[in-house]
Amino acid sequence: MNNIIKINNLEVFAYHGVHQPEKDQGQRFYINAVLHLDFQAATYSDDLDNTVHYGFVSEDIIEYFQTNRCDLIESITHQLVNMLFSKYPILKRIELEVVKPWAPLKFSFDSVSTRVDEVKTKVYLGLGSNVGDSEKTLKQAIAAIAGLDGVYTVTESKLYSSAPYGEVAQDDFLNMAVMIETNLHPTILLKKLQKIELDLGRTREIHWGPRTIDIDMILYGKEIIAEEHLLIPHRFMCERDFVLKPLLDLNPNLIDPRTNTPLINVYEALQDIYIREC
């Protein structure tokens, strides 16, 4: 069920703008927000914990909007969405508009505004390492993922050991998966994950060779993506137990969006076993 709470024309006096008078003198803005969540439980319990309080949300928007200054209303709009997703995990989607009634231009018009429509998506990542202190590296990777702007929830699977896949002689891997909730576009998320890999010493010299850290995007909601540098679901998801088992720890009801096949059925049908629980 998708319920909404609307906040219309919330007035805020703040100092956002490119021109110096805007920075020095400030001006009024109006903010419209549509908050998507499931508050069905609140309708029966009459308990605020099962929804969000529009008054508290309005106070948070005003405080953030006045405390943080940006040249572009595009920037402050994006930052407001991230703040709300971070503070209110129950929110699933946010439509937010920032209206600027008196922009400093020489011709006459009512207002200018920016509007964003952001959805929080569950994304499943596979992590592996077999070089150095692998358990420490995995923890560092998870901490870096949790610290990304636009990532709001991180849930970890159990830790597993697995024999290496392929013909390259190397040490066993430590494997796990994490589920994150994010509004980052898949290609932007991919670039951020690759940056984390590089920061932790990842190199790509040997195909299926030893790796300090490997972070693969396995599932992005129910999307099917086929781009030059990004295939979702991951092309080898259904072939490897060290990918599937950690995913099923996080959600035993996951399906392959390409075929609508439950991944538990795929896992149980696998012939090659590489994984061992640590």
Side-chain angles (χ1 to χ4, degrees), residues 66-79:
Q66 291 180 329
T67 303
N68 299 272
R69 297 190 181 192
C70 295
D71 286 353
L72 304 178
I73 55 174
E74 293 90 336
S75 297
I76 193 62
T77 305
H78 167 74
Q79 292 178 25

Side-chain angles (χ1 to χ4, degrees), residues 117-132:
D117 186 347
E118 299 283 353
V119 178
K120 210 163 49 175
T121 301
K122 291 184 178 180
V123 180
Y124 292 84
L125 309 174
L127 285 72
S129 171
N130 74 336
V131 174

Side-chain angles (χ1 to χ4, degrees), residues 48-66:
L48 181 59
D49 289 340
N50 294 319
T51 183
V52 296
H53 192 298
Y54 58 85
F56 295 157
V57 172
S58 298
E59 289 175 356
D60 289 333
I61 290 174
I62 291 171
E63 180 182 2
Y64 192 93
F65 201 80
Q66 291 180 329

Side-chain angles (χ1 to χ4, degrees), residues 254-266:
L254 285 173
I255 64 168
D256 184 341
R258 298 166 297 191
T259 62
N260 288 323
T261 304
L263 290 186
I264 185 66
N265 295 353
V266 177

Side-chain angles (χ1 to χ4, degrees), residues 27-278:
Q27 60 194 298
R28 266 179 287 182
F29 296 83
Y30 294 94
I31 298 173
N32 300 305
V34 181
L35 311 176
H36 296 251
L37 66 159
D38 183 354
F39 57 65
Q40 184 179 23
T43 64
Y44 293 99
S45 67
D46 199 29
D47 188 342
L48 181 59
D49 289 340
N50 294 319
T51 183
V52 296
H53 192 298
Y54 58 85
F56 295 157
V57 172
S58 298
E59 289 175 356
D60 289 333
I61 290 174
I62 291 171
E63 180 182 2
Y64 192 93
F65 201 80
Q66 291 180 329
T67 303
N68 299 272
R69 297 190 181 192
C70 295
D71 286 353
L72 304 178
I73 55 174
E74 293 90 336
S75 297
I76 193 62
T77 305
H78 167 74
Q79 292 178 25
L80 278 173
V81 168
N82 282 354
M83 179 274 292
L84 292 172
F85 271 143
S86 296
K87 188 157 187 179
Y88 299 96
I90 194 173
L91 296 179
K92 299 178 179 180
R93 174 184 169 195
I94 299 173
E95 299 173 69
L96 191 75
E97 182 182 31
V98 175
V99 182
K100 190 174 186 178
W102 298 286
L105 298 175
K106 295 180 180 180
F107 40 87
S108 177
F109 56 89
D110 288 338
S111 65
V112 295
S113 66
T114 58
R115 185 180 182 277
V116 296
D117 186 347
E118 299 283 353
V119 178
K120 210 163 49 175
T121 301
K122 291 184 178 180
V123 180
Y124 292 84
L125 309 174
L127 285 72
S129 171
N130 74 336
V131 174
D133 188 339
S134 292
E135 188 168 355
K136 178 181 178 181
T137 303
L138 290 172
K139 290 179 180 178
Q140 290 174 326
I142 293 169
I145 292 167
L148 291 175
D149 180 30
V151 170
Y152 308 105
T153 304
V154 178
T155 306
E156 303 175 26
S157 74
K158 296 176 183 177
L159 186 64
Y160 295 91
S161 174
S162 67
Y165 184 88
E167 299 179 356
V168 178
Q170 56 187 306
D171 293 335
D172 286 356
F173 278 84
L174 287 184
N175 296 98
M176 63 184 305
V178 297
M179 185 278 290
I180 65 173
E181 290 187 294
T182 182
N183 62 332
L184 291 170
H185 187 276
T187 55
I188 295 175
L189 177 59
L190 177 64
K191 290 179 181 178
K192 290 179 178 291
L193 296 177
Q194 290 174 338
K195 175 67 164 51
I196 292 173
E197 289 181 328
L198 288 174
D199 289 345
L200 292 175
R202 170 69 190 267
T203 60
R204 301 177 184 273
E205 298 170 356
I206 304 174
H207 186 53
W208 288 339
R211 294 183 287 284
T212 304
I213 185 67
D214 191 14
I215 308 174
D216 290 324
M217 201 184 314
I218 310 299
L219 292 166
Y220 188 99
K222 297 180 180 180
E223 290 197 29
I224 299 173
I225 303 170
E227 299 179 358
E228 183 179 358
H229 300 293
L230 182 61
L231 292 176
I232 301 294
H234 191 280
R235 69 174 70 190
F236 300 120
M237 176 182 71
C238 292
E239 301 175 18
R240 299 173 179 174
D241 63 342
F242 53 85
V243 174
L244 288 171
K245 185 64 172 72
L247 290 181
L248 292 168
D249 282 352
L250 297 168
N251 184 352
N253 298 314
L254 285 173
I255 64 168
D256 184 341
R258 298 166 297 191
T259 62
N260 288 323
T261 304
L263 290 186
I264 185 66
N265 295 353
V266 177
Y267 174 73
E268 290 175 348
L270 289 176
Q271 300 297 316
D272 295 326
I273 302 299
Y274 296 89
I275 199 169
R276 302 179 298 276
E277 186 173 337
C278 293

